[in-house]
Amino acid sequence: MVDRARKPSALATTPGLPPQPQVAFSSDNSSVTATLPTGESVSVLLYGATVVSWKDKNGDEKLWLSEAAKLDGSKPVRGGIPLVFPVFGTAPDHAQTKSLPQHGFARSSRWEFLGKSTSESTPTPTTPAFAATATSAAGAVAAAAADMSVKLDFGLSSSSLSEDARQKWPYAFNAIYSVTLNTDSLTTNLVVTNDDERSWECQVLMHTYLRVDDITTTSITGLSSASYIDKTTSPISTNTQTSPVLTISSETDRVYTPAGDSPASVPITVLSNDKPKFTVLRDNLSNVVVWNPWIEKAKGMADFEPKEGYKNMLCVEPGAVGTWQVLEPGDALEGAQTIVLGGKTE
Ligand code: TA6
């Protein structure tokens, strides 16, 4: 090769970009998976924008997904994080939503993938983290990679609804659902806007199926003194959570309104053998549904497998379902949950 006389000097070497999160579609384009450089991953089915998997850096699954869950769009997913909008449960006495299927159409509609964004809080040269690890360019790259996060955005609007859903709920709306994966947490954020000339009202909820080691050694804190509706009694009853710790030993289906939930919401912690496993933080979602079908209800659900699976799941579902959220034309409703691994709540 001819050595040119005035070849420019090599650019000063600077630490390369830290390894970037990877985002990939499944081969059939039905789902998208994001993976952090440190190994954590999240998978979202476009059907329902349903999070169907969230794994930590060791590949340990944090969500429960039925082995019989339909992932082909034929019915809402049994497990993961189905989205509930515009109605929680069914509302036969509610004119606007009485014709809708249980939990509304969000979890059974095909959402559009809108894109991804990544962020990192690169440790500055003065921070101990940087100093401790950035003893080399590789160290600086590793330090930055350790702080990475990736956000996946999904969209649904009235124009992308099925004809059937549109006929049953003829209001103009737009919904943006963001799923953000951090090294130690997962955040799901929903924004719905009223694009109609009429006001309409809705309920929203994130129907999270957490994976637990053993429901009989699992407990929940953060609900002390909260009022709750118990849907397992007949008639449905309103009660107050007197014990600071909730344990599950039978079918449990409760809509809690945690006490003292303003301005910040009370963290809900799920413990395994008294060791914090998940902390659920809520933003603008004033209710928490706690559900475990237990033996008989698990047997009664064809897509709930294995039938013993009730021992390894607990639904902790942040939502705004106690009352109807009224959206005037142009109004927006935003709500989010952050599930932190372990007991950290910062
Ligand atoms: O969130 C609890 C609940 O409303 C239960 O009453 C039970 O119906 C559960 O949701 C599952 O509902 P699904 O429509 O997914 O079978």
Side-chain angles (χ1 to χ4, degrees), residues 80-196:
I81 308 177
L83 264 182
V84 173
F85 170 79
V87 60
F88 172 64
T90 55
D93 301 331
H94 187 254
Q96 290 182 359
T97 61
K98 65 184 178 183
S99 308
L100 290 176
Q102 167 140 302
H103 293 336
F105 49 69
R107 66 176 185 167
S108 53
S109 296
R110 183 171 172 97
W111 291 61
E112 180 189 358
F113 178 60
L114 302 179
K116 67 166 172 87
S117 56
T118 61
S119 66
E120 62 205 311
S121 53
T122 307
T124 56
T126 56
T127 54
F130 191 95
T133 52
T135 52
S136 68
V141 166
D147 279 4
M148 280 220 161
S149 71
V150 57
K151 178 164 79 82
L152 305 175
D153 289 331
F154 302 87
L156 183 70
S157 67
S158 26
S159 58
S160 55
L161 281 190
S162 68
E163 188 52 41
D164 177 61
R166 235 196 327 266
Q167 280 181 1
K168 289 175 178 170
W169 199 78
Y171 302 97
F173 79 97
N174 190 57
I176 304 283
Y177 183 55
S178 302
V179 178
T180 304
L181 174 69
N182 283 282
T183 52
D184 64 353
S185 66
L186 184 73
T187 294
T188 61
N189 184 88
L190 179 65
V191 183
V192 293
T193 54
N194 180 350
D195 293 351
D196 208 296

Side-chain angles (χ1 to χ4, degrees), residues 78 88 102-103 107 207 209 231 253 289 291 301 317:
R78 177 69 60 204
F88 172 64
Q102 167 140 302
H103 293 336
R107 66 176 185 167
H207 202 293
Y209 287 72
K231 292 169 61 177
D253 193 351
V289 175
W291 178 59
M301 291 182 277
E317 313 163 18

Side-chain angles (χ1 to χ4, degrees), residues 282-304:
R282 291 166 293 123
D283 183 2
N284 202 34
L285 296 175
S286 55
N287 303 110
V288 180
V289 175
V290 176
W291 178 59
N292 183 290
W294 210 248
I295 301 168
E296 292 314 315
K297 285 288 172 59
K299 282 180 185 169
M301 291 182 277
D303 62 350
F304 191 103

